């Protein structure tokens, strides 16, 4: 097919869909659009569909007549007439016109319709030919109404019945157009339209002997493109209720937006995969003539819409759009005779074709040993019957496995002109779907290399479409957080997300939203995202158990189910609560990733820890917990890199608590223990009760996490812990009593500091992981020599020294701020970004 050497210079052909002419208000909009184009000069022709749901009502009237329900058929026909008269009459009145002529024109159309319905009732038979004649009334009514309105506006409009020039065969309800005959008929009429605005009925044609036909799905669009080709139009403009071809279904992806431009071939690809916006027949007249099409919104006429032409868009880095064809079934055939080549594909496709079943996707394994077809779920029983009949011999001889069907499924397709020239598209598509737990049932890539498609379970449609849409830069990658805990760390995380929103979008292409907020009191959830600046204070109370009580509340499971339908859902644990492992398991099972600042789920019994890690791996979920060991310091990732590259860890030693680092630093400077702990709490370095920090248990948990990263089979009970102060002080539950006990212990701590200073040593609180040692995990106060890395700590800094086969005798050091809500929240946000980038394959 070749395009003309110069662009057409004829009129604009405008096509208006049924929703665009369904009401008086919308009819007035349409008249305004046509009048404005006519005033510009250059010519305009109009094609119109039936008003609103008129086509469906006509089918209902036909069915009622065929069933002998004459009164019902007449009532439906009257309702159709009333719609045209009410909407058209109101629009005429707004233009200052009279409705008398419109009433006569409508009556002239409805009279013959009544006669046809009466005849159907007498015969109790509805043939395809009769159906086409009945349905033609819809487009004829709307063209009649629109012509009257344009004339009332002062536009020289003329009614044109497409049956005068659209010549087809006699395949009623889905007739094929005879283009040479159509072109001849059109050339004989077009001169008579000079200076006029022809208002043409869409969808309709006629056989050479004059019988009415219809053009099937997208028939009015087809009429418009045929007319554009015949008139040598400069553009075919399809007016609808959306502002162009969207990057995805807006019902599934709220961030979907209209494309500025796409190619004819991309439009054909969309049509092949079920996009309702296009049909292959619709595009052929434009492709053969080189006439561009523009998709525009009747309700937003100033929006540029989407231009469809030979060239398409120029951005080769972004796919065009992602489509989702729902309501399908997948039928699998397995050939049992593996030593013999199966030759069933032609027979399978032919059997389905004879049954009138559309095959949306087909693929087969080498030598035809296995094959899969995707069909409409509504035709599954018909397909199974057709295949069972065709393959009866093979099935009876057990050469084929019994037919297996899966339904409902969805065909998800990524479309782009540059698909075949871009490396890694398929791998990235399957990777991002795997990261959100979407199981791929079948895949296919067409010879055109403009698309890649896969079949997924229907339940995964929303999350799959949103994830693919975001991952391929069709919009900012949306990250949806379910945040547990709005204390020091959680509150700071929310503030940082709000403060850095523009940076996250501009530099990382991420749109991070908090959609759920949980605490012990209850929960709040909004799929549209919570406003960080105005988080609701009210919570919905938990039903029964609360998160952390061991069992997962049923409403928590329901909220996880809601979250999993969003792109890249992440459970973020900023609490210090026990008993949350079951909640993590439930999140992984439902497709959520997890980011944890909470050490306790990671330091349970060995079996629980192993089960948690296995759950994340089994469900292909990402689990990031860098901040459990060193706030925002890259401790866990550094250790993993050492192990990945084959280094042998001999010892890990560090001050893993910014709180205890701050306390011991102040003690060496001469401050009292009680005053130092008060200051640490005031700065937000401690837990609500500082005893939790002084026990050493917090550091023991961190050391255990690192030991388990090395594969050491240890429990928390295996850690030798020496607290900074005696256990009886730590056991005081109320803060005033606790601080009084610390004051009483101040002289003892001062003597300990003096003894260390007398030896030239420095008091620090350290954790030591020593694989192979008799006591592999130790936590406690240590007086270290002046050249020890711990002596360089200042304030609330933390450090970790990795002594390895490569890094000895001088260890690899990781050092920096190790406490504080802002520091830890920054580490949590960094983990969130890492998870998002991993999901996107970055």
């Amino acid at each position: 097919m070749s395009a003309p050497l110069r662009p057409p210079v004829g009129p604009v052909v405008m096509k208006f869909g049924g929703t665009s002419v369904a009401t008086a208000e919308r009819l007035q909009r349409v008249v305004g659009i046509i009048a404005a184009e006519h005033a510009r000069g250059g010519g305009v022709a109009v094609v119109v569909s039936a008003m609103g749901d008129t086509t469906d009502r006509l089918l209902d009237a036909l069915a009622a007549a065929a069933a002998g329900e004459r009164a019902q058929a007449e009532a439906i026909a009257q309702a159709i007439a009333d719609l045209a008269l009410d909407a058209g009459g109101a629009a005429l009145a707004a233009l200052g016109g009279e409705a008398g002529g419109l009433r006569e024109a409508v009556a002239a159309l409805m009279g013959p319709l009544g006669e046809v319905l009466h005849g159907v009732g007498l015969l109790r038979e509805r043939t395809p030919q009769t159906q086409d004649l009945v349905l033609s009334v819809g487009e004829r009514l709307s063209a009649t109404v629109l012509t009257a309105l344009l004339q009332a506006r002062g536009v020289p409009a003329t009614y044109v019945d497409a049956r005068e020039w659209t010549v087809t065969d006699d395949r009623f309800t889905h007739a094929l157009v005879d283009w040479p005959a159509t072109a001849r008929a059109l050339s004989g009429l077009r001169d008579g339209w000079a200076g006029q605005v022809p208002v043409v009925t869409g969808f309709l044609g006629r056989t050479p002997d004059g019988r009415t036909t219809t053009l099937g799905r997208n028939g009015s669009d087809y009429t418009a493109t045929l007319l554009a080709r015949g008139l040598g139009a400069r553009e075919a403009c399809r007016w609808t209720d959306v502002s162009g071809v969207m990057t995805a279904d807006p019902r599934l992806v709220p961030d979907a937006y209209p494309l500025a431009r796409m190619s004819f071939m991309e439009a054909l690809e969309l049509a092949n995969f079920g996009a309702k916006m296009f049909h292959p027949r619709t595009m052929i007249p434009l492709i053969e003539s080189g006439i561009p099409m523009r998709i525009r919104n009747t309700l937003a006429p100033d929006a540029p819409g989407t231009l469809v032409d030979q060239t398409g868009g120029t951005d080769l880095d972004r796919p065009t759009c992602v489509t989702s064809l729902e309501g399908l079934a997948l039928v699998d055939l397995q050939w049992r005779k593996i030593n013999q080549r199966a030759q069933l594909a032609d027979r399978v496709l032919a059997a389905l074709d004879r049954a009138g079943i559309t095959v949306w996707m087909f693929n087969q394994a080498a030598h035809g040993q296995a094959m899969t077809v995707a069909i409409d779920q509504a035709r599954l029983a018909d397909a199974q019957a057709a295949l069972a009949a065709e393959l009866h011999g093979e099935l009876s001889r057990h050469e084929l496995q019994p037919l297996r069907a899966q339904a409902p499924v969805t065909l998800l397709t990524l479309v782009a002109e540059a698909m075949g020239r871009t490396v890694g598209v398929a791998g990235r598509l399957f990777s991002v779907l795997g990261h959100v737990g979407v199981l791929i049932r079948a895949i296919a890539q067409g010879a055109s290399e403009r698309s890649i498609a896969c079949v997924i379970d229907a339940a995964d449609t929303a999350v799959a479409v949103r994830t693919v849409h975001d991952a391929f830069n069709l919009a900012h990658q949306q990250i949806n957080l379910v945040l547990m805990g709005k204390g020091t760390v959680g509150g700071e995380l929310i503030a940082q997300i709000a403060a850095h929103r523009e940076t996250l979008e501009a530099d990382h292409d991420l749109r991070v939203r908090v959609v759920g907020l949980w605490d012990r009191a209850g929960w709040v959830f909004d799929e549209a995202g919570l406003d960080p600046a105005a988080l609701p204070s009210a919570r919905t109370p938990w039903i029964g158990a609360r998160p952390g009580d061991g069992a997962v509340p049923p409403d928590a499971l329901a909220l996880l189910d809601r979250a999993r339908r969003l792109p890249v859902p992440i459970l973020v644990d900023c609490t210090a609560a026990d008993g949350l492992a079951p909640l993590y398991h439930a999140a992984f099972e439902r497709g959520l990733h997890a980011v944890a600042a909470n050490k306790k789920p990671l330091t349970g019994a060995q079996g629980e820890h192993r089960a948690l890690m296995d759950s994340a791996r089994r469900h292909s979920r990402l689990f990031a917990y860098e901040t459990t060991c060193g706030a925002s310091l890259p401790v866990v990732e550094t250790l993993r890199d050492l192990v990945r590259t084959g280094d042998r860890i001999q010892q890990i030693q560090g001050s893993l608590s910014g709180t205890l680092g701050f306390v011991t630093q102040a003690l060496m400077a001469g401050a009292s223990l009680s005053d130092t702990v008060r200051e640490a709490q005031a700065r937000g370095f401690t837990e609500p009760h500082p005893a939790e920090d002084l026990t050493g248990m917090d550091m023991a948990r961190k050391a255990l996490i690192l030991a388990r990263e090395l594969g050491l089979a240890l429990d928390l009970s295996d850690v030798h812990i020496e607290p900074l102060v005696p256990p009886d002080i730590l056991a005081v539950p109320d803060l005033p009593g606790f601080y009084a006990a610390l004051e009483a212990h101040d002289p003892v701590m001062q003597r300990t500091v003096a003894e260390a200073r007398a030896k030239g040593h420095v008091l620090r609180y350290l954790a030591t992981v020593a694989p192979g040692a008799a006591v592999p995990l130790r936590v406690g106060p240590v007086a270290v020599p002046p050249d020890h890395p711990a002596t360089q700590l200042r304030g609330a800094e933390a450090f970790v020294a990795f002594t390895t086969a490569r890094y000895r005798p001088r260890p690899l050091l990781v050092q920096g701020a190790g406490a504080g809500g802002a520091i830890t929240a920054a580490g949590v946000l960094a983990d969130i970004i890492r998870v998002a980038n991993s999901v996107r394959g970055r």
Side-chain angles (χ1 to χ4, degrees):
M1 294 180 288
S2 60
L5 297 178
R6 59 186 179 83
V9 293
V12 172
V13 173
M14 293 183 168
K15 182 265 175 179
F16 293 92
T19 58
S20 295
V21 293
T23 65
E25 179 186 1
R26 294 195 173 192
L27 281 166
Q28 291 177 68
R29 286 180 177 271
V30 169
V31 168
I33 291 169
I34 298 170
E37 184 63 37
H38 174 68
R40 293 188 190 99
V44 59
V46 177
V47 175
V48 65
S49 297
M51 299 173 65
D53 61 353
T54 296
T55 298
D56 290 335
R57 290 190 182 189
L58 286 166
L59 287 171
D60 291 341
L62 184 61
E69 298 172 353
R70 179 176 179 179
Q72 183 179 354
E74 291 176 348
I76 295 172
Q78 186 59 52
I80 292 168
D82 290 344
L83 171 64
L85 290 171
D86 291 347
L92 267 175
L95 293 169
E98 295 291 335
L102 179 61
R103 282 194 294 270
E104 292 177 4
V106 170
L109 287 171
M110 300 307 293
L113 173 64
E115 294 174 3
V116 172
L117 293 175
H118 179 59
V120 169
L122 292 175
L123 297 173
R124 300 292 178 92
E125 180 183 12
R126 49 180 294 185
T127 65
Q129 180 177 341
T130 303
Q131 176 173 309
D132 279 357
L133 181 59
V134 168
L135 293 185
S136 73
V137 173
E139 275 68 21
R140 290 151 64 196
L141 271 174
S142 59
T144 298
V145 170
L146 186 56
T147 301
L149 292 174
L150 287 168
Q151 292 171 346
R153 176 71 179 261
V155 176
T158 183
Y159 171 91
V160 176
D161 191 327
R163 294 177 296 178
E164 296 177 15
W165 57 270
T166 306
V167 183
T168 73
D169 64 9
D170 60 0
R171 301 184 203 188
F172 298 102
T173 74
H174 56 284
L176 297 181
V177 173
D178 180 344
W179 172 247
T182 294
R184 288 193 299 270
L186 187 56
S187 65
L189 295 171
R190 57 184 296 178
D191 291 343
W193 302 340
Q196 302 285 309
V197 175
V199 180
V200 183
T201 59
F203 188 51
L204 309 182
R206 64 168 172 83
T207 62
D209 59 0
R211 291 173 292 164
T212 297
T213 59
T214 60
L215 305 183
R217 178 185 158 206
N218 291 78
S220 292
D221 291 344
Y222 193 18
T223 301
T225 58
L226 288 168
L227 182 62
R229 182 183 182 185
L231 298 179
R234 64 182 184 272
E235 181 178 281
C237 186
R238 177 181 174 184
W239 291 88
T240 182
D241 54 0
V242 293
S243 296
V245 180
M246 306 298 287
T247 52
D249 186 340
R251 295 170 299 177
L252 300 177
V253 183
D255 290 336
Y257 57 89
L259 294 161
R261 196 170 181 178
M262 66 188 304
S263 71
F264 287 139
M265 295 299 106
E266 287 173 313
L268 274 179
E269 204 75 20
L270 289 174
N272 290 335
F273 285 101
K276 295 179 180 179
M277 185 75 73
F278 301 108
H279 189 282
R281 293 181 309 165
T282 302
M283 301 307 301
I284 290 172
L286 301 180
I287 295 170
E288 293 183 339
S289 60
I291 297 171
M293 171 186 280
R294 192 177 295 275
I295 314 295
R296 300 183 69 177
N297 190 346
T298 310
L299 302 179
D302 294 331
T306 299
L307 179 66
V308 185
D309 62 9
Q310 291 174 313
T311 306
T314 57
D315 186 354
L316 300 183
D317 294 329
R318 292 174 184 255
T320 299
C321 57
V322 55
T323 70
S324 50
L325 182 59
E326 301 179 58
L328 301 184
L330 201 62
V331 180
D332 295 328
L333 297 92
Q334 298 283 337
W335 184 248
R336 280 176 164 165
K337 301 176 69 173
I338 60 175
N339 63 340
Q340 180 179 336
R341 183 184 181 92
Q343 298 186 13
L344 301 178
D346 290 345
R347 292 171 57 195
V348 166
L349 294 176
L352 294 173
D353 184 59
R354 287 193 300 272
I357 297 170
T358 300
V359 174
W360 291 106
M361 191 188 83
F362 171 82
N363 63 20
Q364 67 174 344
H367 308 300
Q369 300 290 341
M371 63 192 67
T372 301
V373 291
I375 61 172
D376 291 314
Q377 185 182 2
R379 300 297 308 277
L380 177 57
D382 296 336
Q384 290 172 317
L387 293 176
E390 175 65 30
L391 304 172
H392 174 73
E394 288 82 0
L395 288 167
S396 62
R397 294 191 298 271
H398 304 291
E399 295 172 354
L400 272 176
Q401 296 274 15
L403 300 179
R404 186 181 64 174
Q406 302 172 70
V409 296
T410 294
L411 182 63
L412 183 147
T413 308
L414 187 67
V415 177
E417 183 68 37
M419 188 81 71
R421 303 193 297 273
T422 305
V423 175
V425 173
R428 190 172 168 197
L429 171 66
F430 301 141
S431 175
V432 299
L433 289 175
H435 275 306
V436 294
V438 174
L439 180 63
I440 297 172
R441 301 287 183 183
I443 61 174
Q445 183 166 12
S448 68
E449 296 185 329
R450 292 187 181 89
S451 66
I452 185 165
C454 59
V455 176
I456 60 174
D457 292 334
D460 293 328
T461 300
V463 68
V465 172
R466 291 170 183 169
T467 299
V468 172
H469 186 270
D470 289 350
F472 280 88
N473 294 324
L474 293 172
H476 294 299
Q477 173 72 68
Q478 191 181 104
I479 310 298
N480 292 280
L481 309 182
V482 177
L483 175 62
M484 294 194 296
K486 189 180 171 289
T488 301
V489 176
E492 183 63 37
L493 174 63
I494 292 171
Q496 290 184 14
I497 290 171
H500 302 303
R501 185 179 304 279
E502 292 184 2
T503 300
L504 289 168
E505 292 187 2
D507 296 348
H508 298 282
D509 208 19
L510 296 176
R511 182 170 296 158
V512 182
R513 310 185 311 162
V514 178
V515 295
L517 181 60
W518 300 3
D519 55 27
R520 296 283 289 174
W523 56 269
V524 59
F525 192 96
D526 187 345
E527 292 181 10
L530 299 169
D531 182 358
L535 288 172
S537 56
R539 300 282 191 274
T540 300
W542 297 106
I543 299 173
R546 297 175 297 180
D549 289 343
V552 183
D555 41 353
L557 296 178
L559 292 173
L560 292 176
D561 285 331
R562 291 173 64 185
R564 78 172 297 272
R565 294 193 292 267
L566 303 174
V568 195
I570 304 175
L571 181 70
V572 181
D573 184 1
C574 290
T575 72
D578 256 325
L580 291 179
L583 188 61
Y584 281 49
H585 283 286
F588 293 146
E589 289 169 3
R590 284 159 175 77
L592 277 75
H593 305 284
V595 169
N598 182 3
K599 295 168 282 293
K600 292 178 180 176
L602 290 156
T603 54
Q606 288 183 54
E608 295 174 359
H609 175 263
R610 187 162 48 249
L612 188 61
M613 296 301 172
D614 288 346
S615 178
R617 282 190 290 269
R618 186 170 63 256
H619 295 98
S620 301
R621 299 305 86 200
L622 297 171
F623 186 13
Y625 44 88
E626 184 68 76
T627 55
T628 58
C629 289
S632 62
L633 296 180
V635 176
V636 174
E637 197 59 32
T638 299
L639 175 57
R640 287 175 177 170
D641 285 343
L642 291 171
V643 173
R644 287 185 194 118
T645 57
D647 206 350
R648 294 193 309 278
I649 308 299
Q650 298 174 350
Q651 177 179 281
I652 304 172
Q653 190 174 57
S655 175
L656 297 172
S657 167
T659 303
L660 288 171
F662 175 83
V663 169
T664 55
Q665 172 75 20
L667 291 174
M668 292 302 300
S672 69
L673 175 64
S674 57
D675 288 344
T676 299
V677 174
R678 282 193 180 94
E679 184 179 354
Q681 185 178 25
R683 293 192 181 192
F685 293 163
T686 72
E687 299 295 336
H689 195 306
E692 294 185 40
D693 298 276
L694 302 183
T695 60
M697 181 58 71
D698 182 71
M699 191 180 290
R701 291 184 185 276
K702 296 177 180 179
L704 179 59
I705 291 171
L706 294 178
R708 286 177 168 174
E709 287 292 317
L710 291 176
L712 300 183
L714 298 172
D715 279 317
L716 199 57
S717 59
D718 297 317
V719 185
H720 178 80
I721 304 173
E722 181 183 348
L724 187 63
V725 296
D728 59 323
I729 297 177
L730 300 174
V732 179
D734 61 290
L735 286 178
F738 170 73
Y739 279 113
L742 280 184
E743 290 172 2
H745 189 68
D746 279 342
V748 177
M749 184 57 69
Q750 288 168 354
R751 287 195 295 273
T752 300
V753 171
E755 291 171 3
R757 190 180 290 117
K759 296 177 182 179
H761 288 183
V762 176
L763 182 67
R764 290 289 184 260
Y765 196 92
L766 303 179
T768 302
V769 181
V775 182
L777 274 177
R778 288 180 176 273
V779 171
V782 181
V784 298
D787 60 347
H788 192 280
T791 63
Q792 304 303 312
L793 297 178
R794 296 294 180 268
E797 288 183 341
F799 94 100
V800 178
F802 296 98
T803 302
T804 73
R806 294 176 189 153
Y807 292 93
R808 55 178 302 191
R810 297 181 63 83
L812 172 65
L813 297 180
V814 178
Q815 180 175 333
I823 296 295
T824 304
V828 172
L829 183 56
D831 269 351
I832 290 168
I833 293 172
R834 273 191 286 271
V835 168
N837 286 337
S838 294
V839 168
R840 294 188 292 177
R842 294 186 175 183

